[in-house]
Amino acid sequence: MTSTEDRAAATALKVKGNEAFAHHDWPSAIDFYTKAIEKYDADPTFYSNRAQANIKLEAYGYAIADASKAIELDKDFIKAYWRRAIANTAILDSQNALRDFKTVVRKEPNNRDAKLKLAECEKMVKKIQFLKAIEVAEPPSAFEGLDLDSMQVEDTYDGLRLKDEMTQEFIDDMIERFKNGKTIHKKYVFQIIKAVRDIVYNEATMVEVDVASDTNLTVCGDTHGQFFDLLEIFRLNGYPTEKHGYLFNGDFVDRGSWSCEIALLLYAYKWLRPSYFFLNRGNHETDDMNRVYGFEGECKAKYNEKTFKLFSESFSALPLATLVGKKYLTLHGGLFSDDKITLDDIRKLDRHSQRQPGQQGLMMEMLWTDPQPQPGRGPSKRGVGLQFGPDVTKRFCENNGLEAVIRSHEVRMDGYEVEHDGKCITVFSAPKYCDSTENKGAYINIGPELKLEYHQFEAVPHPDIKPMAYAQNSLMSMM
């Protein structure tokens, strides 16, 4: 039986959690709510508050479990139904989200905001059903019939002209245009995407690179449409050259509202320096995420629907991993459900036969999994994929002669984190993520000695455009 003192202590911990939440320190908030639950586990608000903090950290699976526990304790707890609906929306489980929004409206029939969200969720369910109905096994290539030669650039276009090859001068002009809120001509957009799609299509599923004696390589994590923070990386660390390579480890797009600018700039550098600039696919370089989290809407708003289709097909051609100096496997998500998976299995994976990662299999795991502190494997805190422990990482590194796995995919308050006895490294390069998380950004420099140097940086000011500005419904802006 819980004592009055324990309840009071638990409530005090909840208050501390609320204070941490107000300061956008989601991990500390979760820690306080967890301690409150350990003191007293019958208060539904503890679970509901932790659910909201988990939503902020994109731990949607955990959020659903917490909201469900709150509902179990109080069947009329409207906020818990609401948060569970938001978390299910985030993992694209619109059917379960719809059920909870209906419950909220039934219990609060005069709640106008709930009615609006219910209508949006119903629209989302219908759209998903429609897309499934028209889905074909082998859609035609978006590049089929793309006649760049016949596309005219108007005399009124005030940007630098692009010919048959990318140049540093064009990139410099493009950066200035993007900084000033301008776009580039859609012919050049198509030209850049096509050139890079052709380059990356012919790269291995796992690109293998060495760091030569007079060069270095910078590994960056998620940039998520935060264009001005990407420019800050280049300002602090140097722009890409033949002596200074870069590897961007997925999730270039979505959430931030300059995803087109980031994708085009990274692609332009890939075209200019294909042997010194590398791109891994992330879980947000996929159609279902782009439709919900803003990139599709941004492409249509800034250019046209064709632009999104071209990007979509180019994303599916991106490599899934990069092996640096035979020591560091770099991939967006993490490790696998089977200890028998080796680097050779990644090498042999035919990524071209499956454009989208699906709900299971090697590609899905490479894009979606996360580390956990406990040994073994566990269910995903996201509700998609799985989690792997330090023993899993140790076995994988030993079996494949690796020093460590470098991955991204998760916010880290310090911009990076070294886990699993130094064998699992997370790097995240979107500081003040979505303008709402007080995290630093980070990148890793690797020299010819293959030592890792971690660099942190702060977010920089950007024009007053909110994250998720191009998401197709306001459900997503709540996350």
Side-chain angles (χ1 to χ4, degrees):
M1 188 170 178
T2 308
S3 68
T4 304
E5 290 80 5
D6 281 343
R7 287 196 189 190
T11 301
L13 286 163
K14 172 192 166 183
V15 170
K16 287 185 176 180
N18 292 348
E19 290 170 356
F21 190 95
H23 286 95
H24 298 179
D25 185 353
W26 323 125
S28 294
I30 288 170
D31 188 46
F32 283 123
Y33 296 141
T34 300
K35 288 175 179 174
I37 289 166
E38 289 167 356
K39 288 279 186 186
Y40 180 59
D41 62 1
D43 188 328
T45 65
F46 298 171
Y47 294 97
S48 179
N49 287 12
R50 191 169 69 175
Q52 183 65 5
N54 274 315
I55 286 171
K56 292 294 186 181
L57 280 178
E58 300 179 17
Y60 301 119
Y62 284 178
I64 290 165
D66 276 339
S68 297
K69 181 64 178 177
I71 291 164
E72 180 186 315
L73 292 168
D74 181 357
K75 293 288 191 290
D76 294 318
F77 196 178
I78 299 297
K79 201 174 281 187
Y81 287 104
W82 183 272
R83 288 172 177 168
R84 189 167 69 178
I86 293 298
N88 271 313
T89 301
I91 61 171
L92 313 184
D93 187 351
S94 301
Q95 292 287 359
N96 277 319
L98 185 63
R99 190 175 302 117
D100 281 337
F101 280 127
K102 284 180 176 177
T103 300
V104 173
V105 170
R106 189 175 71 251
K107 290 180 179 291
E108 289 190 349
N110 295 322
N111 186 329
R112 293 178 62 186
D113 199 30
K115 288 180 179 178
L116 175 64
K117 297 298 182 283
L118 174 59
E120 289 178 347
C121 192
E122 287 174 333
K123 189 168 25 172
M124 190 185 297
V125 169
K126 287 176 182 174
K127 181 176 181 179
I128 290 169
Q129 290 171 339
F130 172 73
L131 290 171
K132 283 183 179 176
I134 63 170
E135 198 171 52
V136 293
E138 281 293 330
S141 171
F143 294 92
E144 195 174 298
L146 182 65
D147 185 1
L148 291 169
D149 292 335
S150 69
M151 292 183 68
Q152 297 298 313
V153 178
E154 299 81 6
D155 292 339
T156 54
Y157 180 70
D158 60 351
L160 204 65
R161 306 281 163 148
L162 179 63
K163 296 182 180 177
D164 295 331
E165 296 293 334
M166 181 54 63
T167 65
Q168 186 64 55
E169 291 74 20
F170 184 87
I171 291 176
D172 293 342
D173 181 70
M174 182 171 68
I175 289 172
E176 288 305 311
R177 293 184 69 79
F178 290 166
K179 284 164 65 175
N180 293 314
K182 294 183 177 182
T183 59
I184 59 173
H185 195 277
K186 68 178 181 181
K187 175 177 180 175
Y188 302 149
V189 172
F190 293 175
Q191 205 173 338
I192 290 168
I193 300 171
K194 183 180 186 306
V196 173
R197 187 263 183 188
D198 292 345
I199 291 168
V200 298
Y201 189 94
N202 291 310
E203 290 183 322
T205 295
M206 183 179 74
V207 174
E208 303 185 41
V209 301
D210 291 313
V211 185
S213 58
D214 57 346
T215 67
N216 70 321
L217 177 71
T218 298
V219 180
C220 297
D222 304 33
T223 49
H224 273 304
Q226 296 185 198
F227 176 70
F228 294 87
D229 295 316
L230 171 63
L231 295 185
E232 179 70 355
I233 294 174
F234 291 149
R235 186 188 74 81
L236 293 169
N237 194 52
Y239 282 79
T241 67
E242 292 188 0
K243 299 291 186 182
H244 186 173
Y246 274 84
L247 164 58
F248 283 84
N249 196 28
D251 281 14
F252 328 124
V253 302
D254 281 338
R255 294 195 176 274
S257 294
W258 290 270
S259 292
C260 287
E261 287 79 0
I262 280 193
L264 287 167
L265 179 55
L266 296 184
Y267 271 30
Y269 271 121
K270 179 63 180 175
W271 187 6
L272 181 66
R273 307 188 191 282
S275 300
Y276 304 94
F277 198 91
F278 306 96
L279 301 171
N280 285 343
R281 189 179 189 180
N283 68 300
H284 276 268
E285 279 73 54
T286 56
D287 285 358
D288 53 359
M289 303 300 278
N290 295 159
R291 289 189 182 112
V292 172
Y293 287 95
F295 185 56
E296 181 184 42
E298 185 180 336
C299 286
K300 291 177 179 178
K302 292 178 178 177
Y303 297 102
N304 55 20
E305 185 174 9
K306 181 75 169 178
T307 300
F308 173 67
K309 289 181 176 178
L310 293 173
F311 264 127
S312 168
E313 191 167 335
S314 74
F315 288 164
S316 70
L318 289 169
L320 301 177
T322 302
L323 181 63
V324 180
K326 300 181 177 61
K327 277 192 171 188
Y328 302 105
L329 175 66
T330 307
L331 73 174
H332 182 72
L335 297 181
F336 312 102
S337 56
D338 187 343
D339 278 342
K340 294 175 184 174
I341 297 297
T342 67
L343 296 181
D344 273 342
D345 292 306
I346 300 173
R347 289 185 181 102
K348 294 172 186 172
L349 177 62
D350 179 10
R351 70 190 190 279
H352 299 312
S353 65
Q354 182 186 352
R355 283 191 186 178
Q356 303 302 319
Q359 296 296 311
Q360 58 186 0
L362 202 60
M363 186 191 295
M364 183 278 290
E365 291 176 358
M366 293 175 73
L367 298 182
W368 276 99
T369 61
D370 296 295
Q372 64 180 23
Q374 306 87 359
R377 294 177 173 87
S380 171
K381 61 188 172 188
R382 298 173 185 271
V384 182
L386 57 94
Q387 294 181 181
F388 57 94
D391 55 330
V392 175
T393 306
K394 182 181 179 184
R395 285 192 297 271
F396 182 82
C397 288
E398 287 176 349
N399 292 343
N400 292 280
L402 298 173
E403 196 153 307
V405 173
I406 300 175
R407 41 91 61 184
S408 302
H409 194 39
E410 291 181 281
V411 180
R412 290 293 190 262
M413 297 307 286
D414 289 327
Y416 73 96
E417 185 173 1
V418 181
E419 302 170 84
H420 294 185
D421 300 316
K423 294 190 178 302
C424 181
I425 297 150
T426 299
V427 59
F428 192 84
S429 304
K432 200 167 186 181
Y433 181 43
C434 289
D435 288 351
S436 66
T437 302
E438 295 302 326
N439 65 293
K440 293 181 172 68
Y443 50 88
I444 304 171
N445 281 335
I446 306 176
E449 304 82 15
L450 299 180
K451 302 299 182 187
L452 306 184
E453 294 181 3
Y454 301 98
H455 297 267
Q456 298 170 299
F457 66 104
E458 302 283 353
V460 295
H462 61 71
D464 188 19
I465 300 173
K466 302 301 181 191
M468 305 290 289
Y470 300 96
Q472 294 193 8
N473 65 77
S474 64
L475 283 173
M476 308 313 297
S477 64
M478 302 173 61
M479 296 172 201

